[in-house]
Each structure stands twice: as structure tokens, then as C-alpha cells.
Amino acid sequence: LGYALMRLRLLPDSQIHGEADSIAEKFSVSDILICTKEADKVLTLLRRYTLPPPSKHRPVPSPYTLSLHTSLKCNLACSYCFAALARKRDWLQTMSYATAQRALDWFADLLVEKGVLWGVIGFNLAAEPLLSWDVLIFVDDYRKHLQRTRQISLLLGSVTNGTLLTEKKARHLRERDIIISTVSVDGPPDIHDALRPFPNGRGSYQAMIRNLPH
């Protein structure tokens, strides 16, 4: 529904009525009103902030991103997770330092070969990266080694569900210049908890929102 309402805002006037009728047929009035209010809240928050104009001397975006899937470990049991069955089977399997190093060497070689000055390394998809903390730190150490020896820049970022992002961990990540690019939030507390519970069924919203300021 949220996607449909956002899409509605982007349509030309000639298509709005037909799309609005389609939305009204699929969703209840109460759901539409709730979702509209949530969208208005987000827009109100965004409009409070004024950003300076972007620098005229920005680096050209790198076309290369290396995604590292270090494990399937996760402390949540999201209802839509496509990796749930594989996780039960391969919970103990974690990427070795040697494999991570080979991947980073290959990526650095590719950037040098293409004449690209920088690239992005991401920890994402199907797991909670903060459960692979030791691999994350190893990758950070090795990417800094590559930056010194290959004369390239490598940005390191990670997604997280937020429940393990303690103040200590957040400070450690900031000190290392590791970027938390995304904290997963699926909506208001009731929706988030229904979709993203812990394995015992308890919702994860409060744990996530408690850590979000860090």
C-alpha cells in the first residue's frame, strides 16, 4: 500500500484517478488513511531539514560494489526471510578470513585494472552482519591495507536490523570509519513487530528503536 501511494504521487494527472480507484478496490479505507498519515509524518520530518548544496567537486560514483555474504546467522525470524531454511542448515558456516582476503584482493585488482579510484564493500542480505563481527573487523583491517598498497579508496558499509547496535559497537564502528548504511525498519511498531520478531515471537521494534540514536 505504501508503495502504491508513493507511486500515485509520481503519476501524471491523467492516470491518477484510475490508479486511485485500483488502490481503493484492493485496500480498506482505514488502512489507506493510516498509511497516508504515516507518509505525511515522514514528509513533515524531511521538510524540516535543509541541506547545503552539493559540492561541485564530488568524486565520480564508483560503478563497483563488492557484497560479502559472510554467514547466514541472524537473531531475528522475519516472516518473509528467503534464507530461513538455509539458515537452519548452515548456521555454523562462516566465511573464512582467507576467503574474505581473496575476495578483497580480486576486487582491488579489478578497480586498478579499470582505472577506478574507489569502490564500495558491503555486508548485506539474508543475515545480521553484527553477528559476524570478527569477519567485519578483519575486512576493515585488510581494506585499509589495500588502500595503502594499491592507492585506492574502499568504503566499507553494513546493513543491520539494529537490535545489536549497542552504544559501544556504534562507537567502535565510527572510530573505524565503517558506515551503517541501513537500519531495517518495516513500519510502525505493530507492523514491524509482526514482520520482524525474534525467534521466540517477541517483537524487535523496541530493541531496534532503543539503539537507533547510537
Side-chain angles (χ1 to χ4, degrees), residues 140-212:
D140 181 46
D141 288 337
Y142 196 68
R143 65 119 176 183
K144 289 170 180 171
H145 162 74
L146 290 173
Q147 289 184 139
R148 291 191 300 269
T149 58
R150 306 292 183 90
Q151 301 300 303
I152 56 177
S153 294
L154 296 170
L155 303 181
L156 177 57
S158 178
V159 302
T160 178
N161 61 39
T163 61
L164 303 175
L165 191 62
T166 62
E167 184 176 4
K168 181 179 179 181
K169 272 192 165 57
R171 190 186 316 114
H172 198 169
L173 293 172
R174 283 196 299 272
E175 290 169 353
R176 283 182 163 266
D177 198 24
I178 299 174
I179 301 163
I180 291 295
S181 57
T182 302
V183 177
S184 301
V185 186
D186 280 14
D190 56 334
I191 295 175
H192 182 97
D193 285 344
L195 296 176
R196 302 180 66 83
F198 289 105
N200 63 4
R202 181 170 58 89
S204 63
Y205 185 89
Q206 288 304 320
M208 176 276 300
I209 210 72
R210 183 172 59 247
N211 289 330
L212 195 56

Side-chain angles (χ1 to χ4, degrees), residues 74 76-82 84 87 161 186 194-199 204:
C74 188
L76 296 186
C78 300
S79 60
Y80 49 75
C81 183
F82 63 88
R87 178 173 297 119
N161 61 39
D186 280 14
L195 296 176
R196 302 180 66 83
F198 289 105
S204 63

Side-chain angles (χ1 to χ4, degrees), residues 3 6-7 30 38 44 56 74 91 105 136 182 200 211 213:
Y3 175 78
M6 287 188 288
R7 184 172 179 275
S30 60
E38 290 295 330
T44 300
K56 295 180 180 179
C74 188
W91 175 266
D105 282 335
L136 178 63
T182 302
N200 63 4
N211 289 330

Side-chain angles (χ1 to χ4, degrees), residues 111-126:
L111 296 180
V112 172
E113 175 190 335
K114 299 295 184 181
V116 179
L117 296 178
W118 67 283
V120 179
I121 304 166
F123 277 64
N124 48 23
L125 283 180

